[in-house]
Amino acid sequence: MVEYVSKSMDALAKNHAHIDTALATLSYSEHSIGVLALLVVKLSGAHIQDFETLYVQVQEFVSSCSEEQIKFAPETFAELCHKFTLQLVDRKQAQRGITILCQAIRKVQTHLALLTSIHPCLCQLCLLAKNFKPALSFLDVDITEISRESGHYDAKDFLLYFYYGGMIYTALKNYNRALYFFEMAVTTPSMAVSHITLESYKKFILVALIVQGKIPTLPKYAPQVVPRYIKPLCQAYHDLATAYGSNNPADVRSVITKHNDTFVRDNNMGLVKQCETALYKKNIQRLTKTFLTLSLADMANRVQLTGSREAEKYVLHMIEDGEIYATINQKDGMVRFHDNPEKYNSAAMLLELDKEMQKCIRMDEKIKEMDREIAVNPQYVQKVSGIHDEDMPASTSKGQGF
Amino acid sequence: MAGDAEIDFVGLSHELEAQELDAPGGVASPQLYGQLLALYLLHNDTISSKFLWKRIPNNIKQGNPELSLIWVVGQHMWKRDYPSIYESLRKDWSDSVKPIMNALNESMRRRAMNLVRKAYASINVDDFAVFMGMPVAEAKQAAIVEGWSLDPQSKFLTPKKIELVSTVTLPNEQHLSVLTDYVSFLEN
């Protein structure tokens, strides 16, 4: 059925006008594949007259189609979602597609940690609609498998998922997770430069400055294209990082003014401003390593704030956000720094530890499983035994006949 | 919404979020927006409130001045400007958001008190009154009720720290089974 349908896509495109009649005769849940093909063709049309009807048709289809049948045509289903997203984005109606795409992903996913090419479409709609919560239920799950979609799954989808995901987490100020996502986009094995990787790298630098105060060294498995081609294109960001390393807010501000145009053009000015505030906080945190108590006026001097009132505000906000452990004494205008009061001996902490250990155990099982799968893969076995042959031509090859 | 007591604000906000996504044409009613905006502020979720404000269409913002008033509270909360927060909360709210805004006022006071308790070893009475949005005498009273000590000459309050009570416990058999899991995992 799937082959027949894919061959007749051209014929369907030519008979555009009759598609609605055909749709009326088919049932969404029983003839899912047929309906799917018809809808894709409708969405591919150069000029869509009646979008509202098409919207309702797609909505009904996604909620009532049969998962069994869709499993045989995953790439067509993904194409439906892509084209649908494009139409909504063009018409500036991103919000309307969110629930539908959430449903679509759930129908296609055989398990929760499966990444499909529909994921980045959902993220894109959420970003444009400025409504991020629906995407979080997908982004918060760690991916362990990618849906092949009959070979149509593209690297672009993978990179976009992590780039958009990183942007969503940055907007929600979950900087640690955002950093992880941008790092995934930047360390994807590649031979050529991708614009997505370039933009991810810029945001990676900025978020790293906010979280860690410096650019972390990329892991060993990061592709060579990054330092060779992408780094030279991000000079402004590297300058900012160097200025940041000096811990001097005046230096940082001068770099920001110097490269203002670049940052604004890249739509990264908001993040850059957050880097600036983060520097003051970093400097205050560094003071805790040297001092036990400090006067507010002294702190304001060292960190280059305008006065003790402003210093008090910064410290108060950091205490509220849990970024520092301190108490302010207004009577004598002093701040006293404490150690983390967590003694790690409560039952609640034990539960936390337990959760983390369970995650590690599950991860270990997953890796063992993946290792087993590769070990019995015929291509791998051939390659391994092939090398064995080259090394020792005289001896009989033991690898074959597994 | 009938009585003030025990309204499930969390459940209500989930409901409203789902309704917003399913709204026809992607645009929900002004009442929904008002309630959801106020609920985000009540949960101290200023980030969600900022994005909700950004996605409300301009014509709805212009036609419903109460929405802007709620957002003004949000803006002050974002900047943590306590006097302005209490000032902007002192409005005549419509019935659909009144219970939420009242609860917000209460929770701001509680949050402020907890923060002062955590962050200050001693604080000026005037500053404390500003945090609480009350006149100085009332603020002094509230502090004394909590067991804080007041130094009458220099007008400084010393907050009383609360000892944290941990209530979570694990039954012993579960402890044992969890430990056996770890050991068997480490052995393999």
Side-chain angles (χ1 to χ4, degrees), chain A residues 364-401:
Chain A
D364 187 70
E365 279 170 11
K366 186 87 201 166
I367 296 188
K368 281 210 192 100
E369 203 184 294
M370 290 169 90
D371 197 42
R372 266 196 298 268
E373 268 178 38
I374 298 185
V376 299
N377 184 321
Q379 281 174 327
Y380 174 75
V381 171
Q382 231 175 18
K383 202 161 182 188
V384 168
S385 59
I387 298 173
H388 205 76
D389 269 345
E390 276 165 33
D391 284 340
M392 299 188 277
S395 62
T396 49
S397 50
K398 295 186 198 148
Q400 252 103 19

Side-chain angles (χ1 to χ4, degrees), chain A residues 81-377:
Chain A
C81 296
H82 287 214
K83 297 207 148 74
F84 185 57
T85 312
L86 270 165
Q87 289 296 329
L88 284 173
V89 170
D90 273 338
R91 286 174 168 67
K92 302 207 189 312
Q93 292 183 9
Q95 175 107 308
R96 299 174 74 192
I98 297 179
T99 338
I100 301 181
L101 281 193
C102 285
Q103 262 183 331
I105 298 181
R106 291 275 176 241
K107 288 237 160 163
V108 171
Q109 272 184 332
T110 45
H111 62 93
L112 288 173
L114 181 71
L115 177 63
T116 67
S117 61
I118 311 175
H119 280 74
C121 294
L122 174 63
C123 291
Q124 189 186 13
L125 287 183
C126 285
L127 278 165
L128 286 169
K130 299 197 182 20
N131 192 345
F132 307 122
K133 284 205 185 152
L136 281 181
S137 51
F138 297 99
L139 290 171
D140 284 340
V141 178
D142 284 321
I143 303 295
T144 53
E145 205 187 321
I146 304 180
S147 157
R148 293 298 216 81
E149 290 167 11
S150 318
H152 283 234
Y153 188 88
D154 191 35
K156 184 172 128 186
D157 297 315
F158 184 80
L159 289 173
L160 274 179
Y161 171 70
F162 285 104
Y163 178 60
Y164 286 151
M167 283 173 74
I168 291 181
Y169 278 121
T170 315
L172 295 174
K173 298 203 194 296
N174 184 344
Y175 295 120
N176 281 318
R177 190 107 173 128
L179 192 62
Y180 168 65
F181 267 61
F182 286 132
E183 190 183 325
M184 286 296 290
V186 166
T187 55
T188 310
S190 60
M191 303 288 283
V193 177
S194 143
H195 267 117
I196 306 173
T197 323
L198 176 62
E199 296 305 314
S200 302
Y201 186 64
K202 292 178 185 166
K203 293 197 161 64
F204 173 71
I205 294 183
L206 292 174
V207 176
L209 288 179
I210 296 177
V211 171
Q212 298 174 358
K214 60 180 169 68
I215 308 182
T217 35
L218 288 175
K220 274 188 283 201
Y221 52 79
Q224 283 302 314
V225 283
V226 174
R228 226 180 272 164
Y229 301 114
I230 292 189
K231 244 172 105 166
L233 292 169
C234 304
Q235 198 48 48
Y237 297 85
H238 281 279
D239 283 348
L240 183 62
T242 329
Y244 211 83
S246 71
N247 289 320
N248 188 340
D251 282 348
V252 170
R253 239 170 292 143
S254 63
V255 169
I256 295 179
T257 331
K258 183 168 143 203
H259 294 290
N260 197 343
D261 294 335
T262 320
F263 293 138
V264 169
R265 199 183 50 222
D266 290 340
N267 275 325
N268 282 332
M269 203 55 201
L271 260 183
V272 170
K273 292 215 174 89
Q274 286 184 52
C275 283
E276 205 184 330
T277 346
L279 182 59
Y280 287 113
K281 291 193 197 170
K282 278 266 152 10
N283 284 338
I284 295 180
Q285 276 169 339
R286 282 185 334 130
L287 289 173
T288 66
K289 295 206 169 63
T290 338
F291 294 96
L292 201 49
T293 49
L294 187 62
S295 78
L296 285 167
D298 212 355
M299 181 188 283
N301 262 337
R302 285 170 188 273
V303 178
Q304 292 188 28
L305 290 169
T306 53
S308 48
R309 252 344 215 176
E310 198 187 356
E312 190 181 331
K313 260 203 169 19
Y314 258 91
V315 174
L316 182 63
H317 294 171
M318 284 171 78
I319 297 176
E320 193 175 358
D321 295 337
E323 289 165 350
I324 200 175
Y325 300 103
T327 25
I328 306 172
N329 197 328
Q330 270 198 351
K331 223 186 274 184
D332 43 14
M334 301 288 284
V335 178
R336 182 184 205 92
F337 298 123
H338 307 292
D339 287 327
N340 186 342
E342 179 62 68
K343 295 270 179 289
Y344 298 103
N345 60 356
S346 64
M349 180 50 68
L350 189 60
L351 278 175
E352 272 299 312
L353 273 173
D354 183 46
K355 256 200 295 189
E356 295 296 315
M357 305 256 273
Q358 293 292 343
K359 267 198 243 173
C360 290
I361 295 177
R362 272 200 300 273
M363 165 102 121
D364 187 70
E365 279 170 11
K366 186 87 201 166
I367 296 188
K368 281 210 192 100
E369 203 184 294
M370 290 169 90
D371 197 42
R372 266 196 298 268
E373 268 178 38
I374 298 185
V376 299
N377 184 321

Side-chain angles (χ1 to χ4, degrees), chain B residues 121-167:
Chain B
S122 69
I123 183 172
N124 189 320
V125 159
D126 297 321
D127 281 344
F128 180 63
V130 156
F131 270 118
M132 297 297 280
M134 295 169 171
V136 177
E138 231 184 285
K140 263 197 247 186
Q141 205 40 44
I144 293 177
V145 161
E146 286 286 320
W148 295 13
S149 51
L150 169 62
D151 178 353
Q153 268 99 4
S154 40
K155 307 205 305 160
F156 279 101
L157 283 166
T158 313
K160 185 164 116 171
K161 306 281 178 195
I162 298 185
E163 291 306 314
L164 289 162
V165 180
S166 120
T167 48

